[in-house]
Amino acid sequence: AAGNGALNINAKQDITVSAAISAATGQLATTLSSDSDVSGGGAILVNTSGSIASNGGAIILGGGLAGAGYAEGNGANIVGASIAGNINGGGGSVTVRGKGASAVGGNNTGVVVNSGATLQTSGTGVISIDGIGGAAGPTNVGVAIDNATVTQSGSGAINITGTGGASGTFNNIGVSISDFGGAGRVTSTGTGDINITGIGGAGTTGQGTGVRVIGSTTGGAVRSVTGAITITGTGAGVGDGAVVGVSGFTLADVSSTGAAPINIVGTGAGAGSVGVRVFGGTVGGATATGNLLLNSLLGTGIALTDATVQTTGNVTLNAKGGGAVEQGGAGSIKAAALRLLSDTAGTVVTLNNVSNDVTTIAGNVKGSVGYTDAIGINVGAVTSFDGTGISTSTGLTTTGALTLTTV
């Protein structure tokens, strides 16, 4: 296309991209609208041989009128929007909306970015991905980023929203960012924020995790330099709220190489589930300088197993509604300050890993606290974001036993 232009493709059924769509000069606003008659079936596929480069024009992949709705999976193509080729907004916004089918074999994912694909833009362009899992069988994930990368190199935000299938059997995850032999990454290398919201689907046998970041080879990751990372996960059936690493897939991180604040909020559902779980993964990182918040809701607690929580800023662990806040296995909390919060009687905080190293500790806990530090313990004042606003704890007050130990 010469100069600025627009490409609008409408189809009552599927749209498949198997070659390059690009702008020779100027911007090419590109809209792919499957299921244009809203009859309930029309997927979008960008194959490995296909690509879209708009040179600053907005890119929309969706369904219905002008792509404002969801591309929807069907019997032939069960994933609503499947991206295996590269998409580059070149500074323009990129929007993808998909809804999975109801195939009895499962895997009816709303939006999948996989096979080494990269979905990217720069400048002020915003990346928005919205997926809804289907309604039959297992693994009806809202949004899955598997062995692929979603990246923003400028100031625009990345917004990902996924809802797991409300029916079907199990593993109906809201948002899954995974490495199964290739990097699964969501990254902001500029100043843009990353916002990920996942709601699990109950299914008949549970495992409806809200947001899951896992990896086994090169790692599943959510990474930023200075833009804030906010992850909000809500489990359903029997499912954790927000997860960084699981057994066998512990190479995972939600991290920063700079001052990015990281806020992970989770609500678990069902027996044995927790609000925020870090299993072998890392939150923050060796070069992180921003504040970190792990915030569980409705008494579902925080579980840190072989977990690294690290920053030169402050770490806040807030158990809203009570529950357990505990470390297991190895791992450590390393920070300038640690703040412990709970608002409900009966909270049990057990952070006794011998590698913990914080300069100052403070908090207000309605329950008991046990904490071990490798160097020494200084009880003081800590100001941080508590999940609602900025507040300060002066001293460490509990309504139950308080045990502070140095190695």
Side-chain angles (χ1 to χ4, degrees), residues 46 83-87 113-119 145-150 183:
V46 180
I83 300 168
N86 295 332
I87 294 178
V113 186
N114 61 13
S115 300
T118 297
L119 192 157
I145 299 168
D146 296 337
N147 307 332
T149 300
V150 175

Side-chain angles (χ1 to χ4, degrees), residues 184-255:
R185 306 271 167 84
V186 175
T187 63
S188 170
T189 60
T191 60
D193 296 342
I194 299 175
N195 303 297
I196 301 174
T197 301
I199 301 173
T204 57
T205 57
Q207 300 180 30
T209 301
V211 177
R212 184 185 73 175
V213 182
I214 64 172
S216 62
T217 307
T218 57
V222 179
R223 296 174 179 170
S224 177
V225 181
T226 59
I229 297 175
T230 301
I231 295 177
T232 305
T234 303
V238 179
D240 294 334
V243 172
V244 183
V246 298
S247 179
F249 298 92
T250 59
L251 193 60
D253 63 89
V254 176
S255 62

